[in-house]
Amino acid sequence: MIKKLFFGIAIIVSGCKGVSQEKQVAMNDANKQQESFKIVKTEKEWREQLSDIEFYVLREEGTERAFSSDLLKNEVVGTYTCAACGTALFKSEYKFDSGTGWPSFDREIEGNVGFDVDYKIGYERTEEYCANCGGHLGHVFNDGPRATTGKRHCINGAALNFVPAKK
């Protein structure tokens, strides 16, 4: 019994990695980056332009429910763009079925996606955002297809619009 109690306490203590100061630094860096985005709008302007779910994901860094996006099973050739500003973010040829419930890509269109550190759930993750407007897209993980980049860009469908390729 004592061993179980000691083990439980050890797990709790080791799981409570003190990252609150690091998170504040990351948030400060994000605020600095936000000032340098090409597209800057007030919260009111974003609310008027975006749907509730788009605002929640893109501006409040929320996450849509898994398997809820119409784009999840989209297999049409084209480009996925930022739902807030229209910036091209991902090509359909980079999309794959990760089984996670969110549209996933093995790479981004270079220069159009920015990255930052996110400590929201208690440990470090790499957050992705639109490099032009700062809209939150999702996160990138190192468990993608090994045959290509090994990356899985796990993206909220609400953060994306799809533009089919011209025939």
Side-chain angles (χ1 to χ4, degrees):
M1 176 69 175
I2 293 176
K3 284 183 180 181
K4 288 182 181 179
L5 180 62
F6 178 77
F7 182 72
I9 291 171
I11 288 177
I12 290 170
V13 170
S14 67
C16 294
K17 180 181 174 195
V19 295
S20 61
Q21 289 180 337
E22 294 175 54
K23 181 176 181 180
Q24 188 63 41
V25 169
M27 288 171 57
N28 286 342
D29 288 345
N31 290 340
K32 288 178 189 173
Q33 290 171 345
Q34 211 166 26
E35 294 172 8
S36 65
F37 293 128
K38 293 176 186 174
I39 299 169
V40 178
K41 295 182 180 186
T42 65
E43 180 178 336
K44 182 178 185 242
E45 290 171 320
W46 284 123
R47 282 196 183 277
E48 289 172 356
Q49 175 187 334
L50 302 170
S51 70
D52 289 343
I53 187 67
E54 289 171 337
F55 186 85
Y56 172 67
V57 169
L58 288 159
R59 307 317 308 170
E60 295 180 328
E61 300 179 1
T63 302
E64 68 189 4
R65 281 183 305 114
F67 301 99
S68 65
S69 173
D70 293 339
L71 297 176
L72 183 61
K73 299 292 184 185
N74 182 29
E75 295 181 8
V76 178
V77 175
T79 304
Y80 294 84
T81 64
C82 176
C85 71
T87 299
L89 303 171
F90 302 96
K91 294 181 181 179
S92 60
E93 64 200 65
Y94 305 155
K95 190 170 185 262
F96 68 97
D97 183 0
S98 66
T100 61
W102 291 277
S104 298
F105 304 86
D106 69 352
R107 68 196 87 169
E108 77 282 3
I109 295 175
E110 284 192 43
N112 293 354
V113 175
F115 302 91
D116 198 4
V117 177
D118 171 357
Y119 293 99
K120 265 192 207 171
I121 61 173
Y123 62 88
E124 182 178 323
R125 297 185 300 173
T126 302
E127 178 194 4
E128 295 184 78
Y129 59 88
C130 174
N132 283 326
C133 72
H136 170 77
L137 303 172
H139 294 86
V140 63
F141 302 96
N142 293 318
D143 60 1
R146 292 180 190 211
T148 59
T149 64
K151 302 288 183 189
R152 173 175 55 96
H153 297 259
C154 187
I155 307 300
N156 289 283
L160 302 172
N161 285 330
F162 180 73
V163 179
K166 295 180 181 177
K167 294 181 180 183

